[in-house]
Amino acid sequence: MGLEPSEFREAAHCMIDKIIDYHEGLKSGGHPIPAVEPGFMKERLPSAGPENKELWQTVFDDVENVVLDGSVHWLSSNNYGFFPTGISYPSILADILCSSTANVGLTWATSPSCTELETNMMDWLAKAINLPDCFLHNGKGPGGGVIQGSASEAILMTLLAARSKVMQKELSRDPKQSIHEITSRMVAYASKCSHSCVERTSQVALVPIRLLDVDENISIRGSVLQKAIEEDRRQRKIPVFVCATLGATVSCTYDNLMEMGPICEKEQIWLHVDAAYAGSALLCPEHRYIAHGLQHVTSFNFSPNKWMMVNLDCSALWVRNSLDMENSLNVNPVYFQHKKQSNTIDYRHWQVSLGRRFRSIKAKLWFVMRMIGLEGLRHHVRKGVGQAKLFEELVRSDNRFQVLFPVTLGLVCFRLCFPHATLEKINDLNLKLREEIEKDRQYVLTPSTVNEVYFLRFSAGMNFCNEESVRRCWEHVQEKSDLVLKSKI
Ligand code: PLP
């Protein structure tokens, strides 16, 4: 096993100590962005791996210089850039356990608890975020959940399932059509402000996507969707899939499911909801209004590895009819067949890869939900929302700034703004502000654009951020703004 059991015990204790020290250090902020240039690693590593084994102590000594010094410290209390990345000690412990069992959950038979813990966790999680019963394995219908590695994979799997369903329908309607001809007529829909991964999944699935205009709330409205479907049907296209977003990455805004849902039902189009970030907020009853209309949707994903204290990778996906998943990518060679397959789930049909990790995926949720508890997870979400509200207040108290969208969860989109300046000039000013903030590596804020308006995103929700660190971040933004404005850019 590489190390003697006694050496492993000692090394593992030492590594845990290192992890705790690293985390404690990040609470005071520091510089989350490393001062390294592309190619820096070449100078820090020998050009080839060692022929003979090295002591674990020697390898650990290099962790600081080789790994941490060149890393972005996502857990720093000065990081407000991207949506949060989930982490917690229960989740890390589960990862260790997962790696240790070396189970590969290809089929139910290759690791029964791997599959069954997952189906139970998906039901726990569905209940925790109040999903309609139809998505539960133990619900009234054929629904169920599965864990994917990422939101991108969850969206890809549902698009492939929708494509396959339409293909079967078209072939049974007119068997003379070629698969190529049917595929070439397919079309999918999403908002202009959906995550770029939606466009990428459409490229992988070879189903062109039409990016729809949004209203002033950055939301797809039913009338826009209906018009697009009608236009496409007139041109003999086949609408296959709609991806709505709850909690758009650029603006944390929400597509209108109450309007889109009935249209998709009437038109028999698969309606998927991507709530990769905002889904964790559904743990809290006060945020559930953002998901009105879920009763109409065909599938739903959110990523506990963002805001639910679960380490990467863990993206939850539920479908109303699990047969749609099983029928889409079902290739069943003899070496995967087993006696129980008629009444068990083989999750390999629900994902691109065949092999799947065990504990990393399922026990992470099990450990996190049990050791932190749903109330503890709600507290974590509420803390992030509270920090965003505080930052919003601070921005609004300085009349040089503007908050762009309603702050509903942990994201504040803001910019420097002057009443009589042109959009170009204001964009330029905010670009300079972002460059100034980036230059000294102390705080991370990410830029974005909606309708050509350039702005900065402040995203709360990382574990070690608190009221004081939020105030410090705002002071930093103000200092940098003074600089930018003084230089009369
Ligand atoms: N969808 C939304 C709304 C997101 O915010 C993100 C990432 O931040 C994604 C999808 C992509 O997630 P992943 O990296 O898990 O594919």
Side-chain angles (χ1 to χ4, degrees):
M1 293 281 273
L3 295 174
E4 291 303 318
S6 61
E7 285 178 309
F8 175 56
R9 194 183 300 278
E10 198 189 341
H13 283 142
C14 177
M15 181 51 81
I16 298 290
D17 284 342
K18 271 186 179 298
I19 291 168
I20 294 171
D21 292 346
Y22 171 62
H23 288 167
E24 289 301 306
L26 293 174
K27 289 185 178 168
S28 56
H31 288 85
I33 306 282
V36 292
E37 294 298 327
F40 77 100
M41 192 60 89
K42 219 172 160 191
E43 286 162 23
R44 301 187 188 192
L45 290 177
S47 58
E51 289 296 332
N52 297 310
K53 70 184 236 174
E54 293 181 55
L55 292 175
W56 65 262
Q57 290 92 337
T58 316
V59 180
F60 280 18
D61 283 347
D62 288 343
V63 166
E64 179 71 42
N65 184 37
V66 176
V67 181
L68 299 181
D69 189 54
S71 296
V72 169
H73 304 294
W74 276 71
L75 294 175
S76 156
S77 59
N78 290 355
N79 179 14
Y80 297 97
F82 295 99
F83 282 150
T85 180
I87 185 166
S88 61
Y89 288 139
S91 180
I92 295 174
L93 290 172
D95 255 341
I96 295 174
L97 182 58
C98 162
S99 302
S100 311
T101 60
N103 267 216
V104 184
L106 292 161
T107 64
W108 179 89
T110 61
S111 185
S113 48
C114 186
T115 301
E116 301 221 355
L117 189 53
E118 179 159 349
T119 54
N120 281 280
M121 284 310 98
M122 292 309 291
D123 279 5
W124 278 21
L125 196 55
K127 288 177 187 167
I129 62 168
N130 202 34
L131 277 190
D133 257 14
C134 60
F135 291 108
L136 266 64
H137 288 283
N138 290 326
K140 292 192 184 97
V146 59
I147 302 196
Q148 303 282 332
S150 62
S152 307
E153 287 165 67
I155 299 166
L156 174 64
M157 290 312 296
T158 50
L159 175 53
L160 291 176
R163 189 183 74 169
S164 165
K165 207 172 162 185
V166 169
M167 181 67 73
Q168 295 312 320
K169 194 169 144 198
E170 279 296 312
L171 286 175
S172 57
R173 194 180 59 77
D174 177 5
K176 289 202 288 300
Q177 296 179 94
S178 74
I179 288 177
H180 172 71
E181 189 196 337
I182 299 168
T183 311
S184 68
R185 289 167 52 212
M186 289 182 177
V187 58
Y189 307 87
S191 140
K192 273 188 174 153
C193 294
S194 59
H195 194 275
S196 58
C197 75
V198 181
E199 231 177 308
R200 291 181 74 221
T201 57
S202 96
Q203 288 169 4
V204 177
L206 294 177
V207 178
I209 195 145
R210 203 170 150 176
L211 295 178
L212 302 176
D213 283 332
V214 288
D215 69 3
E216 67 284 3
N217 298 316
I218 322 297
S219 174
I220 301 183
R221 299 302 300 269
S223 53
V224 173
L225 176 64
Q226 184 73 59
K227 188 163 164 257
I229 293 169
E230 281 166 13
E231 276 169 14
D232 286 335
R233 288 216 196 273
R234 273 199 298 276
Q235 293 178 32
R236 286 199 68 247
K237 291 195 179 149
I238 311 173
V240 169
F241 181 80
V242 176
C243 182
T245 308
L246 295 182
T249 315
V250 285
S251 49
C252 196
T253 47
Y254 310 89
D255 287 330
N256 192 325
L257 297 185
M258 288 302 277
E259 291 181 3
M260 297 166 78
I263 294 171
C264 291
E265 280 166 351
K266 181 180 64 138
E267 301 281 350
Q268 296 186 8
I269 302 173
W270 186 301
L271 174 57
H272 177 74
V273 169
D274 171 26
Y277 159 70
S280 298
L282 300 178
L283 289 165
C284 306
E286 70 271 25
H287 297 307
R288 289 187 184 148
Y289 72 93
I290 62 173
H292 275 164
L294 269 193
Q295 69 274 17
H296 298 293
V297 315
T298 322
S299 52
F300 175 87
N301 77 273
F302 96 97
S303 300
N305 67 37
K306 288 199 184 301
W307 204 7
M308 217 190 93
M309 302 181 78
V310 178
N311 288 62
L312 271 167
D313 44 5
C314 180
S315 192
L317 166 68
W318 290 270
V319 288
R320 189 177 279 273
N321 186 351
S322 50
L323 285 177
D324 291 339
M325 301 298 279
E326 297 202 358
N327 293 339
S328 155
L329 292 181
N330 192 330
V331 179
N332 205 11
V334 174
Y335 44 84
F336 285 148
Q337 290 171 18
H338 58 93
K339 284 194 187 122
K340 307 277 171 35
Q341 68 186 30
S342 61
N343 59 349
T344 57
I345 295 176
D346 282 348
Y347 273 128
R348 70 193 160 91
H349 301 309
W350 298 46
Q351 60 177 29
V352 172
S353 53
L354 294 171
R356 43 199 350 255
R357 297 187 79 201
F358 176 22
R359 299 282 175 179
S360 122
I361 301 190
K362 285 125 270 182
K364 268 197 308 212
L365 279 174
W366 191 49
F367 272 27
V368 166
M369 282 195 269
R370 291 182 67 198
M371 290 189 214
I372 299 176
L374 297 180
E375 202 42 46
L377 294 169
R378 284 183 202 113
H379 173 74
H380 179 65
V381 168
R382 286 177 181 138
K383 199 175 80 172
V385 175
Q387 288 166 11
K389 286 282 171 202
L390 170 63
F391 192 82
E392 180 192 11
E393 258 172 49
L394 295 167
V395 177
R396 288 193 191 279
S397 67
D398 184 335
N399 62 13
R400 297 172 302 172
F401 288 87
Q402 180 191 28
V403 173
L404 280 128
F405 313 108
V407 179
T408 50
L409 298 178
L411 187 73
V412 186
C413 299
F414 69 102
R415 64 173 182 162
L416 274 168
C417 193
F418 294 99
H420 302 299
T422 61
L423 176 63
E424 200 185 347
K425 175 104 182 152
I426 299 174
N427 279 354
D428 200 37
L429 203 64
N430 284 281
L431 200 86
K432 296 281 176 352
L433 173 59
R434 201 260 161 156
E435 281 169 1
E436 279 301 325
I437 293 171
E438 202 179 27
K439 217 190 292 179
D440 64 1
R441 306 186 292 109
Q442 218 180 327
Y443 284 90
V444 190
L445 296 172
T446 46
S448 195
T449 53
V450 169
N451 294 333
E452 288 164 37
V453 172
Y454 181 95
F455 55 89
L456 296 180
R457 292 164 76 260
F458 168 96
S459 173
M462 294 298 301
N463 299 39
F464 301 147
C465 298
N466 54 35
E467 198 182 309
E468 199 193 315
S469 64
V470 171
R471 287 186 189 279
R472 280 201 315 263
C473 175
W474 171 241
E475 280 162 22
H476 190 80
V477 172
Q478 282 186 309
E479 271 167 36
K480 296 297 173 194
S481 303
D482 292 345
L483 259 181
V484 167
L485 292 170
K486 250 188 234 145
S487 66
K488 295 200 174 52
I489 297 154

